[in-house]
């Protein structure tokens, strides 16, 4: 499903939009994975409310961590001029 949506996004809005879409889907998959692992382990206890609440909490923590990491990386990017740029300015 995601590949079909990425293909359509690429046709309508170009490669940059398709790349951003797939990046977002990949990031979201990590929180889904965390929620399903927690849910699978806690469903054995028989307490459904606790299992789903813990799975939701795990997904939110993972998604928040990924979002915080991406935001931090965007803020701390440092522009390093290439050798070409240094030779042109002289």
């Amino acid at each position: 499903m995601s590949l079909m949506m990425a293909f359509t996004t690429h046709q309508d809005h170009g490669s940059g939009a398709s790349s951003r879409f797939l990046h977002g889907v990949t990031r979201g998959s990590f929180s889904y994975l965390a929620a399903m692992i927690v849910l699978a382990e806690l469903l054995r206890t028989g307490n459904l409310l606790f299992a789903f609440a813990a799975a939701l909490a795990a997904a939110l923590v993972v998604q928040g961590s990924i979002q915080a990491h991406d935001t931090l990386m965007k803020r701390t990017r440092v522009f390093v001029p290439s050798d070409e740029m240094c030779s042109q300015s002289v």
Side-chain angles (χ1 to χ4, degrees):
M1 183 69 146
S2 296
L3 289 178
M4 297 259 316
M5 292 173 66
F7 177 74
T8 304
T9 302
H10 185 272
Q11 283 185 328
D12 293 344
H13 302 289
S15 61
S18 180
S19 176
R20 287 188 302 274
F21 171 77
L22 287 173
H23 180 73
V25 167
T26 304
R27 286 179 21 203
S29 296
F30 287 113
S31 59
Y32 175 77
L33 176 67
M36 292 301 110
I37 289 173
V38 169
L39 187 62
E41 290 300 318
L42 292 180
L43 279 177
R44 296 178 187 169
T45 64
N47 189 345
L48 291 179
L49 182 61
F50 176 70
F52 278 96
L56 176 63
L60 290 174
V61 166
V62 169
Q63 189 65 32
S65 299
I66 291 171
Q67 188 67 36
H69 179 265
D70 283 353
T71 302
L72 181 64
M73 294 306 286
K74 285 180 184 176
R75 287 185 184 174
T76 59
R77 271 191 203 149
V78 177
F79 176 72
V80 178
S82 65
D83 291 335
E84 279 183 17
M85 293 177 75
C86 291
S87 65
Q88 289 177 356
S89 63
V90 175

